[in-house]
Amino acid sequence: MSMRTLPLVFINLGGEMLYILDQRLRAHNTSEDNSEKVMNDIVGTMFSKAFMDELLKPQQLYSHRTLKTVLTRLAHASIMRLNPASMDRLYELMVMAFKYQVFLCLRPKDLLLISYNHMDTIREFVKDTPMAVNQVDETHRKIIEAYSSLSEGELQLLRQTLLTFFQDMHVRVSLFLKDQIQNPNGRFALTTSGPVPHGTDVPGLIRIFDCRGREVRRREFRSGGSYTSSIREGSFELHGNRVIRLGMNMYTVDHPEETHTSRAPSVKVITYGSPNPLAKEELNLLARLMGSMKTENKPKDESGFRINLFNTDKEEAEFLVQDEQAASELARIAGQFEEEEEEEKPEKPSNNKGEELLAMMDDL
Amino acid sequence: MYHKEKSIQIKNSASALYNNLSVLRIAPRRLTHFTVVHANMVNMVSASWDGLNYTHRQLQSKEPNVATSTSLIMQMYESDGSIMVYWHALDTPETPTAQAVFARGIAAVYENYICVGVSSGAILVFDVPSKGSNITLSEVLEEHKESITDMASECSGSQECIANLVTADDGGNLCVWKSGEEFQLLNKIPGFDMSCSSVKLWKGTAVAGYGTGQIRLYEAVTGILHAEINAHARWIYSVDIAPFSGLLLSAAEDSLVRVWHMTITPETNSVEVVHLHNECVTDTQICGARFCDGDGYAFAVTGYDLSEIIRYIQS
């Protein structure tokens, strides 16, 4: 499968995370200063050269638990705090949004346009901080360089790798249900209408040729859908109109219930505890990613503030019951990482790694 | 023309992989095996023809050995999945590349070969003796430069066809081969940088499904394009042929399965294709579609994230 998924995974999931956090910060009437600081801190960490360079190395996409651990750390790169239940819900929202985008994009190359949509909006969030904008631009350039040479077939393999990763996740998101892009059973709506992808013809035509390549007959058939010609192609440059809307910010301030999620009754929940023969490789990746995240702004005092992804305590309690297993698994992994780290790299200076983890465990 | 029958439940959902459904009809035992891939596991269900018995089996790939530098790419089992008779691993490249080493595309070829495609573009030819399990790697064909997507052997049953294997890659290129102790490359049909995800060979005609949603019918040995169909609005994941009747099945991410009829007369070089039927699997990106018998009386379909095999039979 593809070894180039990680950069796109973090840009898109990170992007969705920032959209949701932005909505919650505004819903909580957080001050402009605090909001800006949160955004700048997270963007600065996520788009740091060290972190991005680690992601850009060809490697496998590991498990949800590794991904979630790193994203939790990213979310906490700022003075904002999320309790475990909020982080769990945040993860579900992020993943379901990205799954929707990957599932519905018209062709594999659109995955890049989706990523660029996320980066464009992230640039807007930090537009008053030139250093952050530069980091986003640099990352964008690296992504263009790394991905523009991939063929459509290779990008489809990347897409298939992502789809396998998201398989069996059917968490219902109230915003998606409301907009009818998701059905009550948690599956996304796929219409047989609309524009065809760039490079595809509207279905309905059979052409027969003779030995010399001349068309001798053409016949139409009923396609069973109502498709239209493809729309113009979006821009793959650093700046430009992406044309497609997937990857743009779906959340607004006016509807706080949009971050509500629920599990369809008979639906399988993501399991975190399955044995993984690649656990050692996975932990190595985790170590490298955590180590590459800058920590200048790591606060240890009370000046941090909490935001909540739930509107009521009852909602949070209901959610927690479902996710107790997940929360304890996360703590176990964080602890395991620390042990492994100490065993394997005693000569490496501990930087802030140990402290970060302890702090994270304290929060849990 | 067709109506939906009772679905078969599978233990896991189907993964988004090309040609993700295999069907093997065992007439003497009045049952049919269906196999669907979920990540690194194969789900097998054997259905008795009377519809009363369903046996499930799951085949997991041997755990990857990260310590050594090999990538397991193939395991061979008895047809009921009971015993593994052979496995093959390739060396992992020194420097990591854009994709892991993986196998994709497999075909049983006259007289006793099994060919397997690899992500590098290579095709491994295994010699499978009729008795015993002394399977050996006979040859490695290195003609394709891009990852193999699918391959198919001539399915008309006729020994007269010169070509008996067609292989396809991510660039849409098709290679046409004659099998033997040394496989002979008969023709190369260039693609247009658009992946050919599924291919079949019938009466010397290569039927290929592409990422653009097009189906093309080529005369394999000469490369002459006989027909081009703007068949689907999204990436085609599977094409299949019922060799006794000339029915063609195509399925794509657009949630549609289409049935066509082909008339191929090699003597006069004439080809005709007509569209017969559509089935829509609501909200599903189809990843596998196969006829269940040589006449095309029934066909089965799998979809991404779907834990069932949907079946249709002729009315």
Side-chain angles (χ1 to χ4, degrees):
Chain A
M1 300 308 276
S2 178
M3 307 271 267
R4 288 218 176 279
T5 54
L6 278 187
L8 297 189
V9 167
F10 275 94
I11 287 167
N12 289 292
L13 286 185
E16 288 302 316
M17 180 167 85
L18 289 165
Y19 293 173
I20 297 163
L21 292 178
D22 170 66
Q23 194 253 25
R24 296 310 287 176
L25 286 167
R26 286 190 281 146
H28 281 230
N29 288 317
T30 315
S31 71
E32 279 268 340
D33 279 349
N34 272 349
S35 290
E36 213 179 286
K37 187 148 180 29
V38 168
M39 288 306 195
N40 284 335
D41 286 346
I42 296 176
V43 173
T45 307
M46 201 166 103
F47 287 85
S48 73
K49 184 176 184 319
F51 188 63
M52 270 301 154
D53 284 348
E54 272 305 324
L55 293 179
L56 281 162
K57 293 178 186 167
Q59 62 204 312
Q60 275 193 47
L61 177 57
Y62 292 113
S63 63
H64 282 280
R65 67 189 177 201
T66 301
L67 203 54
K68 194 165 163 190
T69 306
V70 181
L71 285 161
T72 304
R73 182 67 193 84
L74 273 174
H76 291 167
S78 67
I79 56 175
M80 177 197 67
R81 283 289 159 274
L82 290 164
N83 64 27
S86 279
M87 190 61 222
D88 290 346
R89 172 169 279 183
L90 180 58
Y91 187 73
E92 281 182 347
L93 282 168
M94 285 155 51
V95 171
M96 288 309 291
F98 191 32
K99 181 176 182 177
Y100 162 67
Q101 291 151 11
V102 173
F103 182 72
L104 270 154
C105 67
L106 293 185
R107 53 166 192 169
K109 207 171 169 191
D110 286 357
L111 272 180
L112 299 180
L113 292 175
I114 293 168
S115 310
Y116 300 163
N117 266 335
H118 280 110
M119 284 197 276
D120 290 343
T121 312
I122 292 170
R123 227 185 246 109
E124 269 303 301
F125 283 149
V126 297
K127 64 177 189 285
D128 294 331
T129 313
M131 198 175 91
V133 172
N134 276 343
Q135 280 178 296
V136 178
D137 282 350
E138 253 322 290
T139 302
H140 199 149
R141 274 183 214 110
K142 283 185 192 159
I143 297 292
I144 291 174
E145 195 191 314
Y147 291 91
S148 46
S149 59
L150 291 187
S151 67
E152 196 77 57
E154 284 170 308
L155 286 166
Q156 177 69 295
L157 182 75
L158 203 163
R159 181 171 171 271
Q160 290 172 337
T161 310
L162 292 173
L163 286 174
T164 304
F165 189 67
F166 299 140
Q167 204 154 345
D168 301 323
M169 289 183 66
H170 303 293
V171 178
R172 296 177 303 187
V173 178
S174 62
L175 174 62
F176 297 170
L177 293 170
K178 190 181 78 173
D179 289 348
Q180 294 183 318
I181 61 183
Q182 192 178 29
N183 296 325
N185 63 4
R187 290 164 190 274
F188 296 119
L190 191 61
T191 59
T192 53
S193 61
V196 290
H198 204 84
T200 293
D201 292 307
V202 174
L205 187 63
I206 305 170
R207 301 166 73 197
I208 308 288
F209 303 92
D210 68 12
C211 302
R212 298 208 203 110
R214 291 175 305 200
E215 185 187 304
V216 296
R217 205 158 40 254
R218 58 165 56 192
R219 191 179 287 119
E220 287 184 11
F221 68 90
R222 191 181 47 89
S223 74
S226 47
Y227 297 104
T228 53
S229 316
S230 62
I231 53 180
R232 73 188 189 288
E233 208 182 12
S235 162
F236 290 89
E237 306 296 313
L238 195 64
H239 299 282
N241 183 358
R242 313 299 175 193
V243 178
I244 66 166
R245 301 197 61 78
L246 293 171
M248 294 178 75
N249 194 348
M250 292 182 286
Y251 302 97
T252 62
V253 189
D254 308 323
H255 300 283
E257 84 280 7
E258 283 166 354
T259 55
H260 187 95
T261 59
S262 61
R263 304 255 166 72
S266 58
V267 159
K268 199 178 116 174
V269 174
I270 320 162
T271 51
Y272 291 90
S274 41
N276 186 349
L278 292 169
K280 189 160 181 283
E281 280 297 306
E282 204 174 327
L283 289 169
N284 283 338
L285 169 67
L286 192 51
R288 292 198 314 272
L289 289 178
M290 301 289 248
S292 65
M293 284 195 261
K294 288 200 184 55
T295 56
E296 302 130 1
N297 296 315
K298 189 76 188 73
K300 295 183 185 57
D301 58 15
E302 312 304 307
S303 64
F305 65 94
R306 284 190 170 272
I307 72 163
N308 203 321
L309 256 80
F310 300 92
N311 294 309
T312 64
D313 288 338
K314 177 165 179 288
E315 213 188 294
E316 184 173 337
E318 278 167 12
F319 186 87
L320 266 175
V321 160
Q322 292 171 56
D323 264 1
E324 237 174 73
Q325 193 214 351
S328 60
E329 183 64 35
L330 198 57
R332 185 187 76 75
I333 296 304
Q336 190 183 28
F337 161 74
E338 196 186 31
E339 272 170 44
E340 175 99 10
E341 235 268 304
E342 277 166 15
E343 264 171 48
E344 293 211 328
K345 301 170 175 130
E347 68 283 357
K348 209 168 179 207
S350 63
N351 277 353
N352 292 316
K353 264 188 264 185
E355 285 169 48
E356 291 163 29
L357 274 160
L358 284 173
M360 195 168 95
M361 289 181 71
D362 283 343
D363 288 343
L364 293 171
Chain B
M1 187 185 173
Y2 286 89
H3 64 266
K4 203 167 155 195
E5 242 214 344
K6 192 173 137 212
S7 294
I8 303 175
Q9 297 304 314
I10 38 178
K11 297 289 184 194
N12 294 119
S13 56
S15 288
L17 297 164
Y18 304 141
N19 307 298
N20 192 5
L21 172 64
S22 279
V23 179
L24 182 65
R25 200 162 174 268
I26 314 269
R29 295 178 53 201
R30 302 188 61 78
L31 55 77
T32 303
H33 297 309
F34 297 87
T35 49
V36 183
V37 174
H38 171 97
N40 64 340
M41 177 143 57
V42 174
N43 285 295
M44 207 169 145
V45 56
S46 308
S48 62
W49 289 2
D50 57 16
L52 297 176
N53 277 313
Y54 296 97
T55 323
H56 296 263
R57 194 189 281 272
Q58 291 180 312
L59 308 173
Q60 182 106 35
S61 67
K62 270 162 46 118
E63 280 176 12
N65 198 342
V66 190
T68 71
S69 51
T70 56
S71 303
L72 174 71
I73 58 143
M74 198 252 289
Q75 288 169 206
M76 251 186 233
Y77 291 79
E78 291 291 342
S79 65
D80 62 356
S82 53
I83 310 164
M84 176 159 65
V85 297
Y86 182 76
W87 60 269
H88 192 86
L90 289 178
D91 290 328
T92 324
E94 285 285 327
T95 48
T97 50
Q99 50 204 27
V101 174
F102 61 86
R104 188 167 56 183
I106 188 164
V109 190
Y110 179 86
E111 201 176 344
N112 51 334
Y113 301 101
I114 290 184
C115 296
V116 176
V118 182
S119 43
S120 61
I123 296 163
L124 308 178
V125 181
F126 295 94
D127 191 312
V128 184
S130 47
K131 277 191 166 53
S133 57
N134 187 22
I135 298 164
T136 53
L137 178 65
S138 155
E139 211 183 341
V140 179
L141 308 172
E142 278 169 330
E143 196 60 46
H144 290 276
K145 302 286 171 274
E146 296 177 69
S147 296
I148 303 294
T149 46
D150 192 24
M151 57 179 69
S153 56
E154 171 59 61
C155 62
S156 65
S158 159
Q159 301 307 336
E160 285 166 22
C161 296
I162 317 163
N164 47 19
L165 175 69
V166 64
T167 55
D169 69 26
D170 246 349
N173 305 300
L174 303 175
C175 286
V176 181
W177 309 84
K178 178 174 156 62
S179 64
E181 267 188 38
E182 268 180 33
F183 271 53
Q184 200 189 335
L185 178 70
L186 299 176
N187 192 17
K188 235 181 137 153
I189 303 172
F192 300 99
D193 276 334
M194 175 39 74
S195 184
C196 170
S197 36
S198 192
V199 71
K200 285 291 178 292
L201 185 60
W202 184 64
K203 290 191 176 177
T205 301
V207 181
Y210 295 85
T212 48
Q214 259 194 354
I215 297 173
R216 289 193 214 123
L217 276 71
Y218 287 100
E219 188 176 281
V221 173
T222 59
I224 294 171
L225 176 67
H226 280 303
E228 187 176 84
I229 314 172
N230 295 338
H232 288 275
R234 297 283 187 280
W235 205 285
I236 291 177
Y237 265 59
S238 198
V239 297
D240 195 27
I241 295 177
F244 306 152
S245 60
L247 287 176
L248 168 68
L249 192 66
S250 67
E253 280 181 348
D254 60 3
S255 73
L256 288 159
V257 187
R258 304 195 194 278
V259 184
W260 321 76
H261 184 257
M262 301 181 295
T263 313
I264 295 175
T265 323
E267 296 80 24
T268 56
N269 261 326
S270 75
V271 167
E272 184 56 82
V273 184
V274 294
H275 173 255
L276 295 180
H277 185 73
N278 296 326
E279 283 291 342
C280 178
V281 186
T282 316
D283 299 334
T284 303
Q285 292 187 346
I286 302 171
C287 50
R290 296 265 186 179
F291 284 115
C292 298
D293 56 270
D295 289 298
Y297 178 69
F299 65 88
V301 170
T302 56
Y304 167 66
D305 247 355
L306 221 58
S307 300
E308 56 181 315
I309 298 170
I310 307 173
R311 289 187 296 176
Y312 300 86
I313 60 169
Q314 277 189 20
S315 305

